[in-house]
Amino acid sequence: RVDDLEVALDHAPEPSPGLPGLARALHRRDVLAGFWLFSLPAVFAGVLEVLVPLRLDDLGASGAAVGAVFLVAAAFESGVSPLAGRLSDRRGRLAPIRIGLAGAALTAVLLPLLGTILLVAVALVFAVAMLGSFWAPAAALLSDSSEDAGLDQAIAFSISNLGWALGHVIGGGAGAALADATSDAVPYGLLAALCVATLAGVISLGRSAPARSAVAP
């Protein structure tokens, strides 16, 4: 029994750094980047989920048609995510995110200008597919940077969930309020600006500290 106890103590997990460790980690540029790369697509998705159905309704789309468009968009997103994960394994964590940011910025500019149900539907599907390119590489980036900061993966997962939840709430609420006070072009324009600014930051991050790729099996 003494031997068993010694073995158990030898394999006991290291204590979690807790909130002090989390606070230290959030001062790291790479951890903050991972948090933001979960928050930005969530903000974008929140805006889309409010403004696009209203726009489609204004153009004469039925409720069933709106639901079908979002269903197709979700299917495309589910297909893009694993592809983005494979690309991030081969080309680095930031490669698919750069593509997603560029595509999302372009779509944000175009969405308020489109005047037919078909064009708005296509733009929505494309936007959601671009946002889908964030999840796998952003999760891997946050996992890598959290490990480097001494955080366990449970805290990294919590950071990603916090980024998504805050972004989604802010995007839906603030986006709708801003569009109601001005026009749809204003929140979409802000999203485009955020995507462009983030793209510049991602390029800078990649140059200063290239993201590591997962080891191929």
Side-chain angles (χ1 to χ4, degrees):
R1 291 181 179 178
V2 173
D3 291 341
D4 291 342
L5 179 58
E6 290 178 350
V7 170
L9 289 175
D10 289 340
H11 293 82
E14 296 182 2
S16 171
L19 291 178
L22 177 59
R24 288 193 302 272
L26 288 175
H27 284 85
R28 291 174 58 104
R29 188 182 180 192
D30 51 357
V31 174
L32 286 175
F35 176 80
W36 175 244
L37 291 173
F38 268 93
S39 300
L40 178 58
V43 171
F44 207 127
V47 173
L48 291 176
E49 290 170 9
V50 173
L51 298 188
V52 171
L54 295 175
R55 179 60 175 159
L56 289 173
D57 180 69
D58 289 342
L59 293 172
S62 65
V66 173
V69 169
F70 274 87
L71 182 62
V72 171
F76 270 82
E77 181 185 24
S78 66
V80 165
S81 188
L83 294 177
R86 295 190 196 100
L87 179 60
S88 73
D89 289 343
R90 294 195 303 267
R91 302 293 299 275
R93 305 303 189 203
L94 300 178
I97 293 174
R98 288 194 292 265
I99 297 171
L101 285 167
L106 175 63
T107 312
V109 172
L110 293 177
L111 267 170
L113 305 176
L114 303 177
T116 68
I117 294 173
L118 178 60
L119 288 177
V120 173
V122 170
L124 172 69
V125 172
F126 181 76
V128 171
M130 291 298 98
L131 299 179
S133 68
F134 283 69
W135 307 127
L141 176 65
L142 186 57
S143 175
D144 292 343
S145 57
S146 297
E147 181 180 350
D148 292 341
L151 293 174
D152 57 47
Q153 293 304 305
I155 295 182
F157 183 70
S158 299
I159 292 173
S160 66
N161 280 342
L162 179 62
W164 164 258
L166 286 176
H168 203 261
V169 170
I170 292 171
L178 189 57
D180 186 55
T182 55
S183 68
D184 288 5
V186 174
Y188 282 131
L190 289 175
L191 285 174
L194 286 173
C195 287
V196 170
T198 303
L199 178 58
V202 164
I203 293 172
S204 174
L205 180 65
R207 288 173 177 170
S208 62
R212 60 186 176 184
S213 297
V215 178

